[in-house]
């Protein structure tokens, strides 16, 4: 055995930094807890209130629906952007330029009031006989407006993400597929897009998490989402901060679940490539338990 035992490197400043942060957190918690204005019981009472839960459901519906529209529209626009046809390419560029260049809040309000310009959707024969007539306001409900406004805006961003993924695939893959006689749509669906997913998934996951929070903007059109329901409740009981904390806790929960799902999807599509060593909170907890049980560093633990 070696005359000099191997010991772990000491990190005293880590403990000092940790102590300072814990002290600051304790001071902040004590300050909030001693504040007589903030009613903690109201947070607990309204966390699972039926109207809050219905707002969570609407938020998930708007987020998932808008993301689905954005994904489909993003793939179509990305394919148009890489097309050899200059007219199709310019049309896609114009769409992306407009919807990325204007605020999503303005877009939501515009679509909600589109009935001012087009009061009704009408289909008539040349002779004047009306075959179809429907009021625009009956179609553009808050839920439909939220899906349309967020979906079109998300499509503009997703098109750039998908385009980056398509361009990341080596051009030799396309040439080899064409040499085998595959038609263009099969080259895209069977060769290019499956390989592009490794590049598309991380920013697309970030867009989904961002969309979860951006969906709170639909409260301006009273779409019945989480923030809308919280606003309606605190307008009744005046517990403004407490209801905002309730909404924030639900948004934190939803984004946390989305982040965990994003991690495992990324790991699924990154198989065969060099991993970055990224671990989740669950991996860290498992490593701590394994180290305390076995007295040795667990798998994935970083050396000191």
């Amino acid at each position: 055995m070696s005359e000099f035992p191997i010991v772990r490197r000491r990190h005293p400043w880590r403990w000092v930094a940790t102590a300072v942060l814990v002290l600051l957190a304790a001071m902040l918690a004590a300050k909030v807890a001693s504040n007589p204005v903030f009613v903690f019981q109201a947070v607990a009472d309204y966390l699972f209130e039926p109207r809050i839960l219905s707002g969570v459901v609407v938020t998930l519906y708007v987020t998932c629906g808008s993301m689905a529209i954005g994904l489909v529209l993003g793939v179509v626009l990305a394919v148009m952007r890489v097309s050899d046809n200059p007219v199709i390419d310019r049309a896609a560029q114009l769409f992306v330029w407009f919807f990325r260049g204007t605020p999503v809040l303005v877009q939501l309000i515009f679509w909600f009031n589109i009935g001012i310009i087009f009061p009704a959707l009408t289909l008539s024969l040349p002779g004047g006989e009306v075959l179809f007539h429907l009021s625009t306001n009956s179609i553009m409900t808050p839920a439909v407006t939220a899906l349309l406004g967020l979906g079109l805006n998300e499509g503009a961003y997703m098109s750039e993400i998908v385009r980056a993924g398509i361009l990341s695939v080596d051009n030799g893959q396309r040439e080899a597929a064409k040499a085998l006689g595959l038609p263009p749509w099969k080259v895209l669906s069977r060769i290019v897009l499956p390989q592009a997913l490794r590049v598309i998934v991380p920013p697309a996951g970030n867009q989904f998490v961002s969309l979860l929070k951006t969906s709170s903007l639909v409260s301006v059109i009273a779409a019945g989402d989480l923030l809308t329901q919280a606003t309606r409740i605190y307008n009744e009981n005046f517990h403004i901060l407490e209801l905002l904390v309730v909404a924030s806790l639900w948004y934190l929960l939803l984004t946390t679940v989305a982040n965990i799902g994003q991690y495992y999807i990324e790991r699924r599509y990154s198989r065969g490539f060099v991993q970055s060593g990224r671990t989740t909170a669950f991996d860290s907890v498992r490593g701590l338990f394994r180290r305390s049980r076995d007295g040795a560093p667990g798998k994935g633990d970083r050396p000191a």
Side-chain angles (χ1 to χ4, degrees):
M1 296 180 62
S2 174
E3 184 179 353
F4 301 100
I6 299 175
V7 297
R8 286 182 176 271
R9 182 183 176 185
R10 305 297 181 182
H11 298 282
W13 290 109
R14 290 185 182 179
W15 291 102
V16 173
T18 302
V20 171
L21 291 176
V22 171
L23 179 62
L24 292 175
M27 292 173 59
L28 179 61
K31 188 68 175 178
V32 174
S34 61
N35 193 321
V37 177
F38 192 89
V39 183
F40 287 92
Q41 187 58 40
V43 176
D45 292 341
Y46 287 100
L47 192 60
F48 297 101
E49 207 268 345
R51 284 180 289 178
I52 293 293
L53 295 179
S54 68
V56 172
V57 173
V58 173
T59 295
L60 288 173
Y61 161 74
V62 169
T63 302
C64 295
S66 301
M67 193 65 188
I69 295 173
L71 280 172
V72 174
L73 192 57
V75 172
V76 173
L77 289 170
V79 173
M80 293 172 64
R81 289 292 307 275
V82 298
S83 172
D84 294 331
N85 190 324
V87 176
I88 294 178
D89 180 23
R90 295 297 184 274
Q93 287 186 33
L94 181 63
F95 182 96
V96 173
W97 167 77
F98 179 80
F99 283 97
R100 288 179 66 194
T102 54
V104 64
L105 181 60
V106 174
Q107 296 175 30
L108 286 169
I109 298 174
F110 175 84
W111 290 115
F112 190 63
N113 294 280
I114 193 66
I116 298 175
I117 304 175
F118 303 104
L121 300 177
T122 304
L123 178 64
S124 59
L125 294 175
E129 182 181 355
V130 177
L131 299 177
F132 178 80
H133 180 87
L134 186 63
S135 173
T136 303
N137 290 332
S138 64
I139 301 175
M140 299 303 294
T141 61
V144 173
T145 303
L147 286 177
L148 182 63
L150 294 178
L152 292 177
N153 183 267
E154 194 65 26
Y157 285 93
M158 284 303 303
S159 68
E160 294 300 290
I161 294 174
V162 176
R163 186 170 70 94
I166 292 175
L167 295 178
S168 70
V169 179
D170 185 56
N171 196 45
Q173 300 281 338
R174 301 181 183 87
E175 294 177 355
K178 292 177 182 178
L180 293 174
L182 291 179
W185 68 271
K186 275 195 175 182
V187 174
L188 180 67
S189 61
R190 300 287 182 88
I191 306 298
V192 177
L193 285 180
Q195 296 183 72
L197 283 175
R198 183 178 63 88
V199 177
I200 293 173
V201 167
N206 292 337
Q207 280 296 118
F208 182 80
V209 172
S210 178
L211 185 58
L212 263 172
K213 297 175 291 183
T214 306
S215 64
S216 61
L217 292 177
V218 303
S219 60
V220 299
I221 56 175
D225 67 306
L226 176 58
L227 184 58
T228 300
Q229 298 294 359
T231 303
R232 289 172 178 172
I233 295 174
Y234 73 59
N235 283 334
E236 298 172 0
N237 56 25
F238 302 105
H239 289 302
I240 300 175
L241 295 181
E242 292 84 348
L243 268 299
L244 290 178
V245 169
V246 169
S248 299
L249 290 175
W250 275 109
Y251 281 119
L252 280 173
L253 175 62
L254 295 176
T255 53
T256 300
V257 173
N259 281 324
I260 295 173
Q262 177 187 352
Y263 165 75
Y264 286 106
I265 294 174
E266 284 183 27
R267 191 168 69 174
R268 166 66 176 80
Y269 284 103
S270 296
R271 292 183 304 176
F273 294 88
V274 178
Q275 298 296 315
S276 62
R278 178 187 173 193
T279 58
T280 63
F282 300 113
D283 297 329
S284 301
V285 171
R286 284 200 301 265
L288 289 174
F289 277 113
R290 188 180 297 110
R291 182 167 50 188
S292 62
R293 181 189 62 194
D294 302 336
K299 182 181 179 182
D301 291 346
R302 296 181 178 178

